[in-house]
Amino acid sequence: TETAVAFDLARSIAERVHAARNRGGFPLILAGNCMAAVGVMAGLGSGHGVVWLDAHGDFNTPDTTRSTFLDGMAVAVLVGSCWSAAAASVPGFEPVPEASIALIGTRDLDLAERERLRASEVGVLGSPAALGDDRLRSQLRALRAHARAVYLHVDLDVLDPTDVGPANRFAAAGGLSVDDVRNLVGALKQECEIAAATISAYDPTLDTTHAVRDAAIEIVREIVAD
């Protein structure tokens, strides 16, 4: 099933992330979907925060979504809200405290998912305008109070599809520019160590001009730059 495959993949990713960190390397994961984050966090071990760049909150559970789309539950799995037994089967996985997670660029939410986020301690910065003022710095500093090192997750549909084109079939109107993301990464690196990063959810069949691919390369360069 889709769920079994997702958690099998998470176990494989966890092993490779753990091995890379033990070698002193920087784990950079190119993932087809956001559930890869479960494996990354398991490989990093406890005590890490999460900065989640995505058009979507991925905070649904099987009880709040009609689609049952597993990828839309990735952050909910990270905090222990659903699929707990499956997540516990991934060696090294521990639920992440909600206050250790910041969602940025989030703008396409189901109604029940929106209510779940409001009732949670997860930080949410949805609009690109929020990245240009003190709210971003405040959010990152609040995150640093809970975790000195973070996992950076970049779902490419966080980008504005009118700016660079659709990254995948779930692309939503609005979003961040490539410069927004690069500036955010720079600000994050001033506040926290980035322990691992994922570039996720790229559909090359929609990227006819290769603009999304080129944007992803720019973002990766910013992440790994000294």
Side-chain angles (χ1 to χ4, degrees):
T1 66
E2 176 192 11
T3 304
V5 170
F7 286 99
D8 282 345
L9 181 59
R11 285 185 279 273
S12 178
I13 291 171
E15 180 181 340
R16 285 162 173 76
V17 168
H18 182 72
R21 290 287 286 178
N22 279 349
R23 293 194 305 268
F26 178 80
L28 176 65
I29 299 89
L30 305 180
N33 63 68
C34 294
M35 282 294 291
V38 176
V40 180
M41 291 301 287
L44 289 177
S46 61
H48 291 81
V50 179
V51 175
W52 192 271
L53 276 62
D54 198 323
H56 310 93
D58 293 349
F59 209 57
N60 273 312
T61 73
D63 294 327
T64 63
T65 176
R66 294 180 180 179
S67 71
T68 70
F69 183 47
L70 186 63
D71 217 31
M73 306 181 200
V75 178
V77 174
L78 290 183
V79 302
S81 293
C82 60
W83 299 107
S84 300
S89 74
V90 181
F93 179 81
E94 294 182 16
V96 182
E98 291 178 346
S100 296
I101 299 179
L103 306 186
I104 299 177
T106 308
R107 58 195 183 273
D108 188 8
L109 297 167
D110 294 342
L111 180 59
E113 181 184 32
R114 189 182 300 275
E115 292 304 315
R116 274 182 38 78
L117 280 169
R118 282 179 183 158
S120 77
E121 295 183 86
V122 174
V124 182
L125 286 177
S127 71
L131 303 184
D133 60 26
D134 291 339
R135 288 184 60 200
L136 174 61
R137 290 286 184 178
S138 296
Q139 182 67 66
L140 296 181
R141 285 170 186 152
L143 186 64
R144 187 179 63 181
H146 298 278
R148 290 285 179 175
V150 300
Y151 161 54
L152 175 61
H153 183 93
V154 183
D155 184 320
L156 290 171
D157 68 21
V158 76
L159 297 169
D160 185 346
T162 63
D163 184 37
V164 295
N168 54 54
R169 64 188 178 92
F170 303 106
L176 309 186
S177 69
V178 178
D179 284 343
D180 285 334
V181 176
R182 292 179 67 247
N183 291 338
L184 188 153
V185 171
L188 176 60
K189 289 163 74 173
Q190 291 179 21
E191 299 292 340
C192 306
E193 174 198 352
I194 301 177
T198 291
I199 303 295
S200 172
Y202 172 58
D203 184 345
T205 65
L206 298 179
D207 186 24
T208 56
T209 67
H210 307 303
V212 179
R213 179 201 64 188
D214 293 345
I217 292 170
E218 283 191 54
I219 292 166
V220 168
R221 284 175 175 158
E222 187 68 33
I223 292 170
V224 301
D226 292 333

